[in-house]
Amino acid sequence: MASIVLQAPGPNIAFGAAPSGSTYISDANGLVVITNGSVNDELYLLGAGCIALVPGGFGGNSNQIGTLYTVQVTDLAQIIVCTNAGAFTLNLPATFPVGFYVDAIQGGAGTVTANPLGGGSTVGAHQTTQAQYLQLRCVVIANNAGLTAAVWDTIRMGA
């Protein structure tokens, strides 16, 4: 897996041992690099106040042909293309940090509905896509200290 780069709250900050056992210190520019590609280490550092740096075009697409998909940590900044003709449910975990986001596009005839999982919730006027080729942006805007109650803002994109 490729390296993951995060922006720390400041330069030269030493973070404790991450889940992999690795220790991290931000450099003089406040950057932290995870070279082992550990998603759990990334979540640990996000919880410690770091911000994921997502360059343009990051992630690409995750094509989903079924009727159900649960967002994974590795989907950060991904575009999830839902191509089923039937209704599609996008499950949103309660365990993601503030700032995590994905976009879900209704690529098929089936409406895409955002569904928060146990402990999580959604806010916003819309939890479903309006028509084919339109999308929802799902962003974690709050979570508790234990990362068990993500509040997802679901934003309908397009006309």
Side-chain angles (χ1 to χ4, degrees):
M1 182 180 267
S3 295
I4 300 168
V5 181
L6 301 154
Q7 178 70 53
N12 306 313
I13 296 175
F15 298 92
S20 70
S22 298
T23 57
Y24 297 95
I25 300 173
S26 60
D27 68 11
N29 296 312
L31 298 177
V32 178
V33 179
I34 303 171
T35 56
N36 64 9
S38 170
V39 171
N40 289 329
D41 283 7
E42 181 179 11
L43 286 175
Y44 168 79
L45 290 167
L46 289 169
C50 293
I51 299 169
L53 298 178
V54 182
F58 173 82
N61 295 341
S62 172
N63 297 317
Q64 299 299 319
I65 60 173
T67 59
L68 175 74
Y69 180 72
T70 299
V71 174
Q72 306 296 308
V73 171
T74 54
D75 290 327
L76 173 65
Q78 292 265 350
I79 297 172
I80 299 170
V81 181
C82 312
T83 59
N84 202 290
F88 186 94
T89 302
L90 182 69
N91 287 324
L92 304 173
T95 57
F96 290 174
V98 171
F100 183 97
Y101 74 95
V102 297
D103 292 332
I105 295 178
Q106 181 183 329
T111 300
V112 177
T113 301
N115 176 49
L117 295 178
S121 60
T122 56
V123 297
H126 307 286
Q127 280 76 44
T128 61
T129 53
Q130 188 173 14
Q132 191 172 17
Y133 310 122
L134 300 181
Q135 69 182 0
L136 287 177
R137 171 158 284 180
C138 303
V139 182
V140 177
I141 59 170
N143 206 333
N144 62 8
L147 294 178
T148 60
V151 177
W152 291 84
D153 189 6
T154 53
I155 306 157
R156 189 182 281 169
M157 309 283 280

